[in-house]
Amino acid sequence: TPMLAVDGVSKHYRNGRGIVAALSGVGFRLPAGSTLGIVGESGSGKSTMARIACGLLAPDAGSVRLAGTELVGLAVRDMRRLRRRVQMIFQDPLSSLDPRQRVSAAIEEVLAVHGLGDRRSRRASAGQMLELVGLPAAAGERYPHQFSGGQRQRVAIARALVLKPDLLICDEPVSALDVSIQAQVLNLLVRLKRELNLTMLFISHDLSVVAHVADHIGVMQRGRMVEMGAAEDVFRRP
Ligand code: ADP
Ligand code: ADP
């Protein structure tokens, strides 16, 4: 069973001028432990696909199965339990971090919400997660604005991984960072993928970024997956 199986997914949006077909019959498989990169220009439907894959958004049609469990049409309660197994990081790490909350508390909160551990063990886990992403455990005392952009994305990654999700969805995770910092964050994701046997869906408009982390690459164009293959094959094409 693949970790993620998407079949025939379509999604329309209504805007002032009419209906936009954001996704039209998209399908792909993501085997456990592998990384699928999705590239495509702005507006091709990548973010919509990411939000549907983690159950944040319902498709108009199609099927999304996480380790065999259908997400489409799932009851709210079951969806909440399932959502714990899929975490996302975004272009702007501040979208998932509260500026008034020390980052240790932000990570501990994720565990507390799911009733995991006591105060001491949650504090210890937060420290371990920060060290896992290359920050000192003591950085947990700081607030998000006291970190650089790249460090902040590391914090968001630590927070996303503290529940040991089955699937990590990265939506343009380095697009807002300086090029030199991009490589560091990408290398971190590659290391985490290896060490934790992570399954990742990695979305970017930048093929060179995707090629850095993905085993397989899908190319999206106007809401359709127009190409899919092993990274080296998609890359080799003229
Ligand atoms: P090849 O890519 O050479 O055909 P693979 O064993 O790598 O052989 O893949 C077999 C099939 O499984 C292909 O259709 C490929 O698209 C799909 N596949 C394998 N891994 C992934 C992945 N990580 N994401 C999406 N599809 C994958
Ligand atoms: P990408 O991530 O590749 O930039 P998106 O999934 O964000 O693509 O968008 C796909 C299409 O759907 C675009 O035409 C976009 O304008 C449209 N779209 C996305 N979100 C909304 C929304 N909330 N309301 C209306 N249209 C939207």
Side-chain angles (χ1 to χ4, degrees):
T1 319
M3 185 59 82
L4 183 68
V6 172
D7 287 290
V9 162
S10 297
K11 180 73 187 177
H12 298 80
Y13 292 110
R14 211 168 278 282
N15 67 16
R17 275 162 295 144
I19 293 173
V20 183
L23 295 175
S24 307
V26 172
F28 60 87
R29 298 278 180 275
L30 179 52
S34 72
T35 297
L36 173 65
I38 297 184
V39 280
E41 60 187 37
S42 174
S44 59
K46 306 181 299 298
S47 286
T48 300
M49 191 57 250
R51 280 182 291 148
I52 289 174
C54 70
L56 274 178
L57 187 69
D60 299 335
S63 157
V64 178
R65 277 164 295 153
L66 181 70
T69 304
E70 179 63 60
L71 298 191
V72 179
L74 207 62
V76 174
R77 223 180 63 223
D78 299 327
M79 182 62 91
R80 205 175 295 144
R81 199 176 47 227
L82 242 140
R83 290 250 15 241
R84 168 204 304 204
R85 296 163 55 187
V86 185
Q87 295 292 317
M88 267 189 95
I89 60 169
F90 302 92
Q91 176 168 343
D92 178 8
L94 290 177
S95 64
S96 54
L97 296 170
D98 181 341
R100 296 156 305 181
Q101 194 177 34
R102 294 181 200 273
V103 306
S104 177
I107 299 170
E108 291 164 42
E109 179 184 59
V110 180
L111 295 168
V113 162
H114 289 95
L116 300 170
D118 55 21
R119 265 165 196 268
R120 258 178 72 119
S121 71
R122 290 198 292 261
R123 171 60 54 103
S125 297
Q128 283 163 10
M129 292 311 299
L130 290 169
E131 286 178 342
L132 180 69
V133 299
L135 294 168
E141 293 307 309
R142 289 191 258 150
Y143 292 90
H145 70 267
Q146 294 175 300
F147 292 89
S148 68
Q151 290 172 334
R152 222 177 269 148
Q153 195 58 286
R154 287 176 193 264
V155 170
I157 293 167
R159 188 170 194 263
L161 293 181
V162 72
L163 288 174
K164 301 187 174 32
D166 294 328
L167 174 63
L168 178 68
I169 300 181
C170 308
D171 189 358
E172 302 278 2
V174 299
S175 306
L177 303 175
D178 289 346
V179 173
S180 59
I181 308 297
Q182 287 190 7
Q184 294 173 15
V185 172
L186 292 175
N187 288 338
L188 169 66
L189 287 169
V190 169
R191 175 169 66 77
L192 291 174
K193 161 183 146 180
R194 208 171 41 228
E195 287 178 5
L196 309 177
N197 192 32
L198 267 182
T199 308
M200 281 201 283
L201 184 62
F202 187 101
I203 287 166
S204 175
H205 66 280
D206 186 340
L207 181 59
S208 65
V209 162
V210 167
H212 198 98
V213 295
D215 324 309
H216 278 72
I217 295 180
V219 181
M220 289 197 65
Q221 213 170 64
R222 298 174 187 207
R224 293 177 192 279
M225 195 71 86
V226 294
E227 211 171 319
M228 170 76 76
E232 57 274 21
D233 295 340
V234 172
F235 232 4
R236 216 183 285 124
R237 255 179 268 273

